[in-house]
Amino acid sequence: MKHLTIIVPDGENNLSSIVGAYKIFTRANAYWKETGRNELFTIQLAGISKEVEFYDGLFSVKPHTHISGIVKTNLIIIPSLNHNYQKAVEDNELLIGWIAKQYRNGAEIASICTGAFMLASSGLLDGKTCSTHWAVADNFRNMFPKVNLQTDKLITDENGIYTNGGAYSFLNLVLYLIEKYYDRQAAVFCSKVFQIEMDRHSQSAFTIFKGQKLHGDEMVREAQAYIESKPYEKISVEHLSSRFSVGRRNFDRRFIKATGNTPVEYAQRVKIESAKKAFETSRKTINEVMYEVGYSDVKAFREVFRKITGMSPLEYRGKYNKEALA
C-alpha cells in the first residue's frame, strides 16, 4: 500500500485545502474498495506540532503523526499558506527539510496554491516550472527568481513535482492526482460526488492584471504608469523609449527584466484588462469594447483576448455578465 502525507504546517494557514485533499483521497480509497480492490493509500496528516489552530482558534487540526514518525512516503501534499509567506517558511524549516529529503528518497510532491512558497524554499523548484495564485506572482518571483513561474497554468507536472493555481482550483489538482494514482474512472467518480468540473487547464480567465510593480527600476515604473493611463491609445515602443530617453533595445531589456513582459505584451494586458471590465459591467457589443481599447481589427482583438484569458470575448461576456445576454 502506498503512503500519502498531507502536511499540516505550523501557523495560521489554510484549512480548506487540508480538509479538501483529505476528504477526496479518502473517498477515492473507498471507491477503490467498493470496486473490489484494496485501498490504494494509507492517508496521514503530519506536522511538527501536536495541534495547529486556524482562524483565531475557531478550528484546530491534530495531525495523525509527527513527520519524524514517517520514514518513507510516496506522495506529499503541501496545503496553501496565508499571506505572510516569509514567516510561514521560517516557522516550518523542519518541514521543508523533511520534504526535500523525502523527494530525494523517491516521494512525489504536490503543492496547493501558495504552498508553492514552501516548496520553492526547499530548492526543489529551481529551474522547474510551477504555478501559484496569480495575485502573489510578483512576490513569488522576487523571492524565487530561479523558478519558472507560469501563473496561466492551472496545473504543472514536472519530475514528480506538481503545483497548481489559486484558491479552490486545488480541487482540480486533487482530481489530477486521483486520475494519475488510481484511474480515470476514479477521478470521474470523485468529480461527480464532489461536483468538481474536470479537465480545467488554465486560470487565465480568473486573473486580474495589475502589473508587476515589485521591482527597483523607476524608469520602468513610470513607463508602466504611462501605459496604464492610456489603455485606449496605441502606444509604440519607439514612442515610449524616446519619451524616457532610453535606446529601444535597452528599454526593452529593462522592461522585460523588471516586469516579465515585453512593452507590447504589457500594453496588450492593460488593454485586455480594460476590455474585461467593460464586458463584466456593461452591455456594450464586442466591437464597441474593441474600439474603446484601441483595436480596429476584430480578428487581432479576439486572438489577443483569447491568448490572455483563454476565452473568446463572447464567451467571457457570457460567463461574467448575465445581463448582457438578456
Side-chain angles (χ1 to χ4, degrees):
M1 186 180 292
K2 296 182 183 295
H3 188 276
L4 166 62
T5 305
I6 300 173
I7 294 298
V8 183
D10 272 9
E12 285 270 350
N13 294 302
N14 193 302
L15 179 61
S16 61
S17 55
I18 296 172
V19 175
Y22 181 78
K23 288 191 67 174
I24 297 172
F25 267 96
T26 299
R27 191 65 189 88
N29 255 357
Y31 169 81
W32 213 238
K33 196 172 181 179
E34 289 163 7
T35 52
R37 292 163 283 190
N38 294 325
E39 292 182 345
L40 188 62
F41 278 107
T42 296
I43 304 169
Q44 284 190 304
L45 273 59
I48 52 178
S49 297
K50 291 184 177 179
E51 184 173 3
V52 179
E53 292 188 345
F54 295 83
Y55 311 115
D56 298 321
L58 185 60
F59 304 102
S60 65
V61 172
K62 297 177 181 178
H64 294 110
T65 186
H66 189 278
I67 54 170
S68 61
I70 300 174
V71 177
K72 181 173 176 57
T73 189
N74 300 98
L75 175 63
I76 299 169
I77 294 180
I78 305 171
S80 59
L81 310 174
N82 278 339
H83 309 291
N84 193 337
Y85 309 114
Q86 190 64 52
K87 186 176 188 306
V89 167
E90 291 170 359
D91 289 348
N92 290 281
E93 287 184 359
L94 187 62
L95 263 178
I96 293 167
W98 180 85
I99 289 167
K101 181 181 177 181
Q102 289 294 328
Y103 180 72
R104 289 192 293 269
N105 288 339
E108 294 195 327
I109 304 171
S111 72
I112 288 172
C113 188
T114 52
F117 281 83
M118 186 174 290
L119 179 56
S121 295
S122 70
L124 296 177
L125 283 176
D126 287 356
K128 296 184 179 69
T129 298
C130 90
S131 187
T132 188
H133 200 297
W134 57 262
V136 300
D138 283 2
N139 196 344
F140 187 92
R141 287 191 179 99
N142 280 342
M143 287 179 67
F144 308 108
K146 295 180 181 179
V147 180
N148 179 19
L149 181 65
Q150 297 189 12
T151 52
D152 60 315
K153 293 185 179 296
L154 194 72
I155 295 169
T156 67
D157 176 346
E158 187 174 353
N159 296 336
I161 294 179
Y162 313 90
T163 68
N164 92 287
Y168 286 92
S169 70
F170 82 86
L171 298 171
N172 296 99
L173 173 62
V174 175
L175 285 186
Y176 183 87
L177 294 171
I178 295 293
E179 181 171 355
K180 181 179 179 66
Y181 277 93
Y182 295 81
D183 59 16
R184 178 72 176 182
Q185 288 69 39
V188 169
F189 175 79
C190 288
S191 79
K192 292 180 177 180
V193 170
F194 293 98
Q195 300 189 34
I196 306 166
E197 183 180 348
M198 289 194 69
D199 298 327
R200 282 181 54 210
H201 301 291
S202 173
Q203 62 174 342
S204 296
F206 300 98
T207 301
I208 301 173
F209 183 71
K210 295 182 179 179
Q212 302 89 326
K213 306 291 173 53
L214 298 179
H215 58 80
D217 195 322
E218 186 58 33
M219 182 276 290
V220 173
R221 267 202 289 264
E222 289 180 13
Q224 288 175 273
Y226 184 77
I227 293 170
E228 291 167 11
S229 71
K230 300 178 181 297
Y232 314 120
E233 295 183 14
K234 186 174 182 179
I235 304 172
S236 70
V237 181
E238 288 77 10
H239 172 74
L240 280 171
S241 59
S242 63
R243 178 181 177 83
F244 294 99
S245 304
V246 180
R248 166 67 190 270
R249 290 181 64 183
N250 189 34
F251 180 82
D252 279 351
R253 180 186 61 78
R254 286 174 63 177
F255 201 98
I256 293 168
K257 181 180 179 181
T259 70
N261 296 123
T262 67
V264 171
E265 289 170 342
Y266 197 90
Q268 287 176 338
R269 286 184 172 274
V270 169
K271 290 177 180 295
I272 297 306
E273 191 62 33
S274 182
K276 285 162 59 181
K277 290 175 182 175
F279 288 137
E280 292 164 12
T281 60
S282 75
R283 300 181 65 147
K284 293 176 181 175
T285 66
I286 306 298
N287 282 358
E288 286 174 328
V289 172
M290 175 189 74
Y291 289 127
E292 284 187 358
V293 297
Y295 283 87
S296 56
D297 185 312
V298 175
K299 183 180 178 182
F301 175 66
R302 285 175 176 161
E303 287 178 352
V304 174
F305 195 95
R306 183 177 288 279
K307 177 183 176 183
I308 291 174
T309 68
M311 306 170 72
S312 72
L314 191 63
E315 289 169 337
Y316 189 90
R317 188 180 66 172
K319 186 177 181 69
Y320 291 106
N321 189 343
K322 289 183 179 179
E323 289 186 3
L325 300 176

